[in-house]
Amino acid sequence: MRICQLLGLLGVAILVGCDEAAPTPSPPPASNAQVAAPAQTATPDKASPAATEKPAPPDRDSAIVMEEPKDKENSELAALAQNTQSQSNVAPPSTPKATVTPNSRKEFWITSNELPRNVWDVMYLGNSKIGSMHTEVLQAEGGDGSQLKLTLESLLRVTRGGQSTTQRIAVTSREKTDGELLELIATIYEGTNKTEVTGVRVTDNLIVQITQPNGQSSRITIPWKREYRGPFALEQELLQQPLTEGETREIPYLCVPLFRLANLVLKGGGKQKVAMLDGSTQELQEVMVSIVLDKNPVMETVAWVNEKGESLKSAALGLQVLTYRSTQSAAESVDTAAQADLLKVTSVPLPAGTPNLHLAQSLTYNIRCSKDPLKLFPSRTNQTVRSAVALECDITVYTVTPDSTLPETLQKQEPPTDADLNPSPMIESNDPLILEMAHHVLPEEKDPWKISLALERYVHDKIERKDFSRSFATAAEVAKIPRGDCTEHGVLLAALLRARKIPARIASGLVYVDSAEGPMMGYHMWTEAYVGDRWIPLDAVLGKGGIGPGHIKVMDTSLADQNPYVALLPVLQVLGDLKITSVKAP
């Protein structure tokens, strides 16, 4: 898979916004990437791929039991798990490892005779063309001919919650012909917001400076070795040495647009007949690609690669996104077909007839997935996770207040850190407007729980325009322009809480949504405040004074990192990779 395809998939991940949580009519208690042929044979310029495929609310505490037959799901989950590296609770039988002989490695991944190199790709979400990517490799100007200039330009247009949003990414790096990174510059446009990143090698470090749309800059220093690779590592590695079947390879590289040192883990598979965009079929090798950050996989994709190591098609596991090698005219053409909505595509269906889950005191979700659920979902704050069967778990979510009785496993919670109270590039709790807003609400009140509830409602009322066109603004930006989706609600509330000396962090995961297509769980972000001896979830999108069990948490973070997208990626390990088979009172 080429870097443009990987960057495009990360771009879609960034644009995944929250589904608007179904509002509660009363306040909470005060206490696979398949190898699918295109829909029809067509010319490359106009082809499109095959489609990937309210009851009255109950009283609180009523038993909610909605189940689906499990035999129907077995084939679907088997197909889903076919292209993923499942981690089961049951140890598989040991088998002797076959000897793998790697392909020979070329001295350089590209030669001067192959320059200039221009490659185009198109990206589809379902049947909708959502983006194009252009990669160009040139001889760098000046010097002795031992340096290259690599440029990627990516354009994505998607619909989120019925609103159109555009993202443009341009990445240029200067590297030696052996792949050693010297410097880079990246520009990310989301609508009218511009983020600029520069990176320069200084001896054994990579100095990265990130300038946010509000002009605020931050600098990080990444210890760097000569063998580490830049943002084009994936393309370079496969072209220099294609994988053999059964071979696994790991490459440290700079992950864009996260701008963090990560590892690419490549696993060579067998050859398959793969349907291409123009209706043809090619025999290509399957390669599994994982981005591993801090020892945790944050994105998994599958690529289909020819004998030269060129990725001609790829798919994201967890997102219905396909990327195809294309022509320039096909990549730049405008798709007039109705676009699939990103929020709907990335949602997880609930059993038919599931009522409003926010109304219960506690609920247990039975979940099946193709990975170890104990590594996907944490047991902390207000939820417990237990798994007695491989690739299946029960998640019980509780309503929490300062006085509620917690299960024994949740009674001892981790205390807040300095990062949960201090200002950060995304949560500027020391911003003058943030401080003014925070102390405008119940200025004489000392009870942190009363302050927390009042601030939650304040943010709910303040952000009047629920805008899905911006993917992640800082708290100070939201304070000045009060519009956005769940991410903007979450960071603003966290900043206001910290401004009142209440530790706060961000949580992300899934939330109950009553959509026109039926009940589902969609991506969502909310806030957690530390009150008394526990973390308590708050949701300013709902603004009802805390939350019930309609939220499933995947992760929490102080957002001390200057790059907020790290908080989004763990949810991608869940979207498209699980089935909720039942929801019931515990």
Side-chain angles (χ1 to χ4, degrees):
M1 175 184 296
R2 297 174 47 250
I3 179 61
C4 72
Q5 298 166 321
L6 194 58
L7 180 58
L9 296 175
L10 282 168
V12 173
I14 288 170
L15 292 175
V16 174
C18 70
D19 280 299
E20 187 169 354
T24 55
S26 59
S31 181
N32 105 24
Q34 293 182 337
V35 187
Q40 57 185 12
T41 301
T43 62
D45 290 1
K46 297 183 180 179
S48 61
T52 56
E53 309 204 16
K54 299 189 179 178
D59 292 333
R60 206 174 275 281
D61 288 323
S62 62
I64 300 178
V65 183
M66 298 290 165
E67 299 189 2
E68 289 184 344
K70 295 186 178 181
D71 55 350
K72 175 186 175 183
E73 301 154 11
N74 290 337
S75 60
E76 298 175 3
L77 287 171
L80 181 66
Q82 183 178 3
N83 288 324
T84 59
Q85 190 70 18
S86 300
Q87 298 183 15
S88 170
N89 290 338
V90 180
S94 59
T95 55
K97 290 186 178 181
T99 302
V100 176
T101 303
N103 290 317
S104 59
R105 190 176 185 88
K106 296 187 294 185
E107 184 178 1
F108 302 109
W109 71 274
I110 192 170
T111 64
S112 59
N113 295 332
E114 298 171 296
L115 299 177
R117 175 180 171 84
N118 283 278
V119 180
W120 295 83
D121 292 270
V122 293
M123 181 174 292
Y124 282 85
L125 178 66
N127 275 331
S128 303
K129 177 185 173 183
I130 60 171
S132 62
M133 289 152 284
H134 174 219
T135 305
E136 182 179 53
V137 185
L138 301 171
Q139 194 84 50
E141 295 182 359
D144 58 1
S146 64
Q147 296 182 12
L148 301 173
K149 178 184 177 183
L150 298 90
T151 302
L152 165 69
E153 294 178 340
S154 169
L155 174 64
L156 289 175
R157 295 188 183 96
V158 299
T159 300
R160 300 167 65 229
Q163 299 176 359
S164 179
T165 184
T166 300
Q167 179 197 77
R168 289 179 292 144
I169 300 178
V171 181
T172 299
S173 70
R174 186 168 62 90
E175 306 181 7
K176 293 184 178 181
T177 52
D178 62 0
E180 181 184 357
L181 176 66
L182 301 175
E183 62 182 16
L184 68 90
I185 182 171
T187 307
I188 302 173
Y189 290 92
E190 294 177 27
T192 59
N193 293 327
K194 174 184 176 182
T195 301
E196 191 169 69
V197 181
T198 59
V200 179
R201 281 279 305 282
V202 179
T203 60
D204 294 332
N205 294 308
L206 180 69
I207 310 300
V208 177
Q209 179 164 315
I210 301 177
T211 304
Q212 302 288 352
N214 60 2
Q216 182 177 352
S217 295
S218 58
R219 178 178 294 184
I220 57 174
T221 300
I222 303 175
W224 200 263
K225 297 181 179 181
R226 189 181 187 279
E227 60 268 25
Y228 292 173
R229 291 294 174 253
F232 295 85
L234 194 50
E235 178 179 12
Q236 295 166 330
E237 183 66 25
L238 290 178
L239 287 174
Q240 189 168 8
Q241 186 183 17
L243 288 165
T244 58
E245 184 174 356
E247 181 185 1
T248 298
R249 201 178 300 166
E250 189 168 334
I251 306 101
Y253 87 117
L254 183 70
C255 181
V256 176
L258 301 182
F259 303 105
R260 298 271 296 274
L261 184 63
N263 284 331
L264 281 175
V265 179
L266 311 179
K267 298 180 180 180
K271 290 188 176 182
Q272 301 176 351
K273 291 184 177 180
V274 181
M276 303 306 294
L277 186 60
D278 60 359
S280 65
T281 300
Q282 296 193 35
E283 189 174 80
L284 303 173
Q285 181 190 19
E286 181 188 70
V287 175
M288 297 300 302
V289 182
S290 298
I291 301 177
V292 179
L293 192 64
D294 298 329
K295 299 183 180 181
N296 295 311
V298 295
M299 175 169 280
E300 295 179 328
T301 58
V302 58
W304 290 277
V305 181
N306 64 15
E307 292 181 354
K308 297 179 181 179
E310 298 174 308
S311 175
L312 304 186
K313 181 177 179 179
S314 64
L317 304 180
L319 294 171
Q320 296 180 25
V321 176
L322 289 172
T323 304
Y324 295 87
R325 175 66 53 85
S326 178
T327 63
Q328 180 177 354
S329 58
E332 293 181 335
S333 65
V334 177
D335 190 357
T336 58
Q339 283 194 342
D341 194 298
L342 188 57
L343 299 187
K344 296 177 182 178
V345 171
T346 56
S347 296
V348 181
L350 285 164
T354 300
N356 192 330
L357 302 182
H358 296 304
L359 298 174
Q361 286 277 14
S362 58
L363 291 171
T364 296
Y365 299 80
N366 181 262
I367 290 177
R368 291 182 165 192
C369 50
S370 66
K371 304 182 184 71
D372 184 354
L374 297 178
K375 295 184 178 180
L376 294 177
F377 301 99
S379 285
R380 55 195 289 157
T381 310
N382 67 322
Q383 71 182 32
T384 60
V385 184
R386 61 183 187 278
S387 177
V389 179
L391 308 183
E392 184 175 344
C393 72
D394 287 328
I395 300 178
T396 301
V397 187
Y398 302 87
T399 300
V400 178
T401 67
D403 302 324
S404 59
T405 301
L406 294 173
E408 184 176 353
T409 55
L410 296 177
Q411 289 179 5
K412 187 176 182 180
Q413 300 199 6
E414 74 284 2
T417 65
D418 290 342
D420 298 315
L421 193 55
N422 294 335
S424 69
M426 291 303 303
I427 302 178
E428 308 104 321
S429 52
N430 58 348
D431 178 82
L433 182 54
I434 294 286
L435 291 168
E436 178 184 342
M437 294 169 64
H439 291 280
H440 175 73
V441 177
L442 300 183
E444 304 300 326
E445 184 59 59
K446 303 299 182 184
D447 186 332
W449 179 233
K450 292 181 180 179
I451 296 172
S452 299
L453 295 179
L455 289 175
E456 180 197 54
R457 185 66 197 184
Y458 175 80
V459 173
H460 175 83
D461 294 338
K462 186 72 174 177
I463 304 180
E464 296 180 356
R465 182 181 173 188
K466 311 305 180 186
D467 187 353
F468 291 97
S469 64
R470 57 199 316 201
S471 64
F472 218 132
T474 72
E477 290 172 335
V478 182
K480 294 174 184 176
I481 306 176
R483 62 182 176 87
D485 59 16
C486 62
T487 58
E488 283 68 43
H489 287 75
V491 295
L492 180 56
L493 178 54
L496 295 177
L497 288 164
R498 292 183 188 182
R500 294 295 293 270
K501 307 302 181 184
I502 300 173
R505 65 190 184 191
I506 298 298
S508 63
L510 304 175
V511 69
Y512 168 79
V513 181
D514 185 11
S515 71
E517 289 74 23
M520 60 182 61
M521 302 292 287
Y523 171 79
H524 195 53
M525 184 172 285
W526 58 97
T527 311
E528 293 181 348
Y530 193 80
V531 179
D533 62 348
R534 65 192 62 185
W535 288 97
I536 302 179
L538 301 168
D539 192 338
V541 174
L542 294 175
K544 297 294 183 179
I547 67 173
H551 297 58
I552 300 177
K553 183 163 75 170
V554 175
M555 75 162 297
D556 53 60
T557 173
S558 66
L559 273 187
D561 195 296
Q562 77 285 346
N563 194 318
Y565 305 127
V566 176
L568 302 178
L569 293 183
V571 185
L572 290 181
Q573 300 296 298
V574 174
L575 295 174
D577 190 37
L578 59 82
K579 294 277 292 185
I580 299 177
T581 60
S582 69
V583 185
K584 58 186 178 182

